[in-house]
Amino acid sequence: MTKIVSRFAPSPTGYLHIGGARTALFSWLLARAAGGEFRLRIEDTDRERSTQEATDAIIDSMKWLGLEHDGEIVFQSTRADRHNEVIDTLIENGHAYYCQCSKEEVDAMREKAMKEGRKPKYDGTCRAKGLTEGVVRLKAPLEGHTGFVDMVKGPINVENTEMDDMIIRRSDGTPTYNLAVVVDDHDMGVNTVLRGDDHVNNTPRQILIYRAMGWDVPQFGHVPMILGPDKKKLSKRHGALSVMEYEKMGYLPEAVCNYLARLGWSHGDQELFTMEEMVKLFSTDNLGKSPSVFDLTKFEWVNGQYMQKADPKRLAAMLSDFLTREVGDEEAADVSEGEFEKVAPLLQPRAKSIVDMLEQSRPFIVPAEYLPYDEKAVKKFLNEETKPYLEEIAERIEALDEFSEKSLEDLHRQFLEDKDIKFKVIAQPIRVAIVGKTQSPGLFETMMVLGKEQTLARIRRAVSL
């Protein structure tokens, strides 16, 4: 059995967005599931719109997602000589020819065809003229059909009379997209192409080039597009950001891959997959034929599930990194990863992202004197009625020989009995005192993470308010 070699070939005219990332993931899974190779090519022939910044961002995005490629990255812009060599071969073997028809003449041909109820296309005027300069066109068959079995959509057939003698080299000597793609895929050994269905109309044209060169034609598959919740083309307003924007928002790469995989691929009713599971289970047989809908709420849920399962040490390192990005090395140095390691397990059940977790961790990482307070919460819960309760609780905590969750539970239980009050009377005042707001993880867990000294300092500062 021939080893599968797939590829991802983005154009660096912009950053890698969700749609492109899903295509990359499916191509990567296809290769890895079969023990094959996954190649990366940067199609940077559009010199005006391609940028180094976008190229770097694409490569960084692939690394962040864990979609490692095999072999060296191929840059299409370095291969113009090879592309032209193939074009010259096609001219020599009679499968291509020079054409000197102007744009106006070609437009007139298409307009005439439309009026006559025919397919608007170039009519082959220069096919037999034997010209030696101008644009170069591929000599498409005049009868029969060009077909292939799409890995996703099934059999696709196009009548050859529907296809133009497409230009494969422009008048300035530069090869066109369809020609360059075919040559690069052939030379890279690519035998399986999985890509977006915006390319499905290019495929019969590309097959003609393979056949004209006597090359093996790859398997092709075209994945339906991703739509927004309103069933329109996915855009930024739906959450279609670049991949690295999700990194900045604190999403975990494996969660991003999991969510993207489920946009068009399924395995029963299972929602959450490790990368290892996806590699084991992936098949193009389970790719959907209909467009998928991007749901940001579902995306956040998936990321939250991964946050809950993540190693706290890993989350702590990420929290430290995100804090450094925000405030700089000097200020971030005041908070150790060790402090974040204590906080992370406490916040994992609630946090949707690293950014969310960092926001929730702020009350834990600032000294008591800098703890910010929710003004409404202070007004409601820190008053003359609760002040003596907080003062006495602080005294009892200070007197504890052992500072543990059990000793804290016992202390507060005894306090409630002594005062003949319900826990709700002191719960929110204590919570506001130690974290500055009315929401937090369990009180005693929170106190344990803060430690005895900080817990006391915060309660006493609250009393002074």
Side-chain angles (χ1 to χ4, degrees):
M1 182 177 175
T2 305
K3 178 176 69 174
I4 283 181
V5 180
S6 69
R7 52 78 161 171
F8 179 53
S11 174
T13 54
Y15 300 134
L16 181 60
H17 289 268
I18 287 298
R22 185 190 65 163
T23 300
L25 173 64
F26 285 162
S27 296
W28 183 86
L29 287 171
L30 182 63
R32 295 293 179 251
E37 291 185 10
F38 173 71
R39 305 295 307 277
L40 177 61
R41 180 171 72 243
I42 304 296
E43 298 192 336
D44 56 345
T45 51
D46 187 340
R47 303 314 297 165
E48 290 184 7
R49 297 173 60 222
S50 297
T51 67
Q52 187 61 48
E53 183 182 9
T55 299
D56 293 342
I58 289 169
I59 294 170
D60 289 343
S61 297
M62 296 289 285
K63 287 179 180 176
W64 183 69
L65 291 171
L67 306 181
E68 75 281 358
H69 58 85
D70 299 299
E72 297 295 321
I73 298 175
V74 173
F75 291 89
Q76 196 171 65
S77 60
T78 66
R79 294 179 45 78
D81 288 348
R82 170 59 176 157
H83 300 151
N84 277 310
E85 177 186 304
V86 170
I87 293 169
D88 291 341
T89 299
L90 289 168
I91 295 171
E92 289 168 12
N93 65 23
H95 286 291
Y97 61 93
Y98 285 100
C99 168
Q100 293 182 345
C101 294
S102 67
K103 181 180 181 301
E104 291 74 21
E105 288 173 321
V106 175
D107 288 343
M109 293 173 197
R110 289 174 174 160
E111 189 174 338
K112 181 173 182 288
M114 287 179 69
K115 286 179 180 178
E116 295 173 357
R118 295 182 288 109
K119 178 83 172 181
K121 64 174 190 175
Y122 176 70
D123 66 5
T125 294
C126 294
R127 262 190 174 223
K129 287 186 176 180
L131 301 173
T132 56
E133 57 183 26
V135 302
V136 176
R137 292 181 180 273
L138 184 73
K139 193 179 288 184
L142 299 176
E143 55 188 23
H145 67 270
T146 299
F148 65 101
V149 179
D150 192 290
M151 291 183 287
V152 180
K153 298 177 179 294
I156 293 177
N157 282 288
V158 177
E159 295 297 321
N160 289 332
T161 53
E162 296 287 299
M163 287 194 280
D164 241 334
D165 283 358
M166 64 176 171
I167 294 174
I168 56 176
R169 181 159 64 200
R170 303 178 186 90
S171 56
D172 63 1
T174 58
T176 57
Y177 169 78
N178 280 317
L179 183 286
V181 165
V182 169
V183 176
D184 291 343
D185 280 343
H186 172 267
D187 289 359
M188 292 169 68
V190 173
N191 55 27
T192 310
V193 176
L194 192 58
R195 55 191 178 186
D197 64 1
D198 53 330
H199 287 286
V200 72
N201 291 333
N202 288 325
T203 302
R205 298 173 181 275
Q206 293 173 7
I207 289 173
L208 292 182
I209 299 174
Y210 279 103
R211 289 176 177 169
M213 287 299 295
W215 293 340
D216 291 337
V217 178
Q219 277 190 297
F220 289 96
H222 297 87
V223 184
M225 67 173 62
I226 304 173
L227 303 177
D230 56 3
K231 305 299 172 65
K232 294 182 179 178
K233 185 178 178 181
L234 193 63
S235 65
K236 286 185 178 180
R237 74 177 185 278
H238 299 124
L241 308 173
S242 73
V243 168
M244 295 312 284
E245 283 301 311
Y246 284 103
E247 187 276 337
K248 291 175 186 175
M249 291 161 63
Y251 281 67
L252 301 180
E254 60 270 33
V256 176
C257 286
N258 188 149
Y259 182 71
L260 290 181
R262 288 291 289 113
L263 286 177
W265 173 79
S266 63
H267 180 74
D269 296 327
Q270 188 173 342
E271 289 288 349
L272 302 175
F273 300 84
T274 64
M275 292 294 277
E276 291 76 15
E277 286 177 310
M278 285 193 280
V279 167
K280 181 180 178 181
L281 299 170
F282 185 81
S283 166
T284 54
D285 294 340
N286 292 342
L287 286 174
K289 297 181 181 181
S290 303
S292 303
V293 175
F294 183 88
D295 183 340
L296 188 55
T297 302
K298 180 71 172 291
F299 196 1
E300 289 176 347
W301 176 82
V302 170
N303 197 63
Q305 295 299 302
Y306 275 85
M307 292 286 292
Q308 290 177 28
K309 298 174 183 177
D311 181 348
K313 287 188 176 181
R314 177 191 175 200
L315 296 179
M318 295 177 76
L319 287 168
S320 183
D321 175 54
F322 272 67
L323 182 63
T324 300
R325 296 187 203 182
E326 182 182 309
V327 301
D329 291 329
E330 191 172 332
E331 287 189 49
D334 293 335
V335 185
S336 68
E337 277 189 29
E339 290 178 76
F340 279 130
E341 283 182 29
K342 293 178 185 177
V343 175
L346 204 59
L347 303 180
Q348 279 180 265
R350 297 165 175 259
K352 295 179 180 178
S353 67
I354 295 296
V355 169
D356 182 31
M357 184 178 274
L358 181 60
E359 191 60 35
Q360 291 187 43
S361 73
R362 294 189 193 283
F364 296 89
I365 63 176
V366 297
E369 60 268 28
Y370 296 119
L371 178 68
Y373 291 96
D374 180 304
E375 290 184 14
K376 289 183 180 178
V378 168
K379 188 173 182 180
K380 184 175 181 179
F381 296 108
L382 301 185
N383 49 48
E384 290 304 317
E385 181 186 350
T386 59
K387 181 177 180 180
Y389 291 152
L390 292 176
E391 287 177 326
E392 187 169 340
I393 288 171
E395 290 172 5
R396 294 192 184 199
I397 290 175
E398 187 171 27
L400 283 175
D401 292 328
E402 179 190 357
F403 188 76
S404 66
E405 275 193 55
K406 185 178 184 307
S407 66
L408 287 168
E409 286 179 19
D410 292 343
L411 180 153
H412 284 78
R413 188 183 304 111
Q414 186 62 53
F415 182 82
L416 296 176
E417 289 179 12
D418 294 346
K419 302 301 178 183
D420 193 23
I421 57 175
K422 301 292 185 182
F423 187 56
K424 66 180 182 180
V425 175
I426 61 169
Q428 288 296 58
I430 294 173
R431 184 169 279 110
V432 175
I434 63 176
V435 297
K437 53 187 180 179
T438 57
Q439 291 182 326
S440 77
L443 274 183
F444 307 131
E445 294 174 285
T446 299
M447 288 180 179
M448 289 304 300
V449 170
L450 289 171
K452 185 175 182 179
E453 183 181 333
Q454 271 295 308
T455 298
L456 285 171
R458 289 165 185 238
I459 294 175
R460 284 170 175 156
R461 184 183 173 210
V463 166
S464 71
L465 292 176

